[in-house]
């Protein structure tokens, strides 16, 4: 193996581990947004604490009180 090949293979393996860790941690954060939104914590507070935008948090964890049932006749 050449030095270039070794470096690129090592970087690719590191990237895959980083990607897996990001996806795991992102899923955990999304679960927390949903959990605490259901407990009446506002998206503005969660956005401030997480560094995300309020809109992004609200999209991930909409207000459960405002959600319509899927099989509604309205």
């Amino acid at each position: 193996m050449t030095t270039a090949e070794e470096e690129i293979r090592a970087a690719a393996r590191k990237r895959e581990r980083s990607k897996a860790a990001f996806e795991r941690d992102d899923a955990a954060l999304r679960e927390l947004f949903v959990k605490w939104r259901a407990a009446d914590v506002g998206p503005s507070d969660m956005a401030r604490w997480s560094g995300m935008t309020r809109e992004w948090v609200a999209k991930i964890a909409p207000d459960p009180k405002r959600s319509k049932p899927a099989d509604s006749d309205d």
Side-chain angles (χ1 to χ4, degrees):
M1 236 185 318
T2 66
T3 301
E5 184 179 354
E6 290 170 351
E7 289 180 14
I8 291 169
R9 286 182 184 270
R13 284 190 301 272
K14 184 176 179 181
R15 181 182 182 274
E16 281 302 312
R17 287 191 306 270
S18 297
K19 182 179 175 185
F22 171 82
E23 290 172 353
R24 180 195 65 231
D25 295 343
D26 185 61
L29 182 58
R30 288 170 181 255
E31 288 176 17
L32 288 172
F33 287 154
V34 171
K35 171 187 172 181
W36 289 106
R37 188 68 181 118
D40 284 334
V41 175
S44 295
D45 288 330
M46 291 189 286
R48 189 172 54 252
W49 301 330
S50 66
M52 306 296 177
T53 65
R54 184 210 170 282
E55 291 76 14
W56 190 83
V57 173
K59 181 179 176 182
I60 299 303
D63 187 349
K65 295 176 192 158
R66 301 185 88 188
S67 298
K68 283 186 160 184
D71 55 313
S72 175
D73 291 330
D74 293 337

